[in-house]
Amino acid sequence: MTAPDPKRLLVATTNAGKLREIRAILADLPFTIATLADYKALPEPEETGKTFAANARIKALAYAGATGELTVAEDSGLEIDALDGEPGVRSARFNGESYAEKFATIAHMLEERGTESSTARFVCALVLTQPDGVVWETTGVVEGRLQLPARGQGGFGYDPIFYYPEYGRTLADVTDAEKAAVSHRGQAFRRLRDYLAS
Ligand code: IMP
């Protein structure tokens, strides 16, 4: 007798930092994890949404439609209160090619507003879809504040300037497991893991 095919889940992200975190959380699920690297030349949907949830839905529906797979997509980013929520949904495309440049832009914008720091949060909207529609969604949020200059070599993206008070360090200055235990993405994907396991 042959064992039934394990269930498949397409994790629709091209961001290596995100993928590493997500794989670690979903590792024990009885699902084969597929990624966009398993598909050649899928068109990237335009992220035209005004919210993280809207963009996550756009991505999840586009990739589920193109592949026929059960698909999870997420949209995430950093909201800085003193900058009215910027960079928000534009976090990946925000001013500057490198993160060093993005951090310099943020420091400059804060200075223009007469401050050096601000409360901030990372948000992760997660959407699970079948080709014919949304199955389930959730949002994870982690509150912290900006720390400039940047500090720490771990994580990715804005982690070196995101100070997490309970750890007394930035999220680039903690282990992957410590970040996942509190992060926006950790929260959202643990909920997905529990949903898929139930
Ligand atoms: P997206 O691919 O449009 O969702 O872009 C999300 C962007 O938000 C990333 O490219 C990072 O710049 C930022 N971001 C999201 N999650 C994190 C995180 O956990 N740490 C640091 N930056 C993050």
Side-chain angles (χ1 to χ4, degrees):
M1 226 171 73
T2 51
D5 279 349
K7 288 176 277 188
R8 282 170 64 91
L9 174 67
L10 172 63
V11 177
T13 180
T14 51
N15 180 314
K18 290 182 181 180
L19 198 56
R20 191 182 68 238
E21 294 181 3
I22 294 166
R23 273 189 185 284
I25 294 169
L26 301 183
D28 294 338
L29 270 184
F31 279 72
T32 300
I33 303 296
T35 72
L36 295 176
D38 296 318
Y39 290 91
K40 291 281 166 308
L42 284 182
E44 239 181 85
E46 227 186 306
E47 297 181 26
T48 52
K50 292 195 166 43
T51 63
F52 294 112
N55 281 333
R57 272 181 225 126
I58 288 171
K59 289 189 262 189
L61 287 167
Y63 288 118
T67 64
E69 301 255 32
L70 177 67
T71 299
V72 61
E74 62 95 276
D75 199 64
S76 50
L78 178 67
E79 292 180 345
I80 301 172
D81 290 324
L83 302 181
D84 305 319
E86 286 249 66
V89 292
R90 299 195 307 123
S91 292
R93 312 179 284 274
F94 191 61
N95 242 357
E97 280 295 308
S98 68
Y99 278 89
E101 286 172 306
K102 293 184 201 306
F103 300 164
T105 303
I106 288 170
H108 180 69
M109 289 170 77
L110 287 173
E111 199 182 302
E112 279 183 340
R113 301 202 179 194
T115 180
E116 283 179 358
S117 188
S118 170
T119 49
R121 69 198 55 75
F122 278 127
V123 180
C124 172
L126 175 161
V127 175
L128 181 70
T129 52
Q130 296 277 16
D132 57 355
V134 172
V135 177
W136 186 82
E137 48 192 346
T138 191
T139 299
V141 178
V142 59
E143 301 282 346
R145 68 178 157 82
L146 287 192
Q147 171 179 303
L148 288 156
R151 193 175 176 136
Q153 304 298 322
F156 69 95
Y158 295 90
D159 283 336
I161 61 165
F162 188 87
Y163 179 86
Y164 183 66
E166 280 81 347
Y167 287 159
R169 282 171 287 162
T170 69
L171 289 187
D173 213 7
V174 300
T175 65
D176 287 352
E178 284 170 324
K179 179 182 171 189
V182 298
S183 78
H184 52 318
R185 187 167 303 99
Q187 296 171 36
F189 277 86
R190 275 191 297 278
R191 277 184 225 137
L192 175 72
R193 182 189 62 195
D194 294 349
Y195 173 81
L196 290 173
S198 64

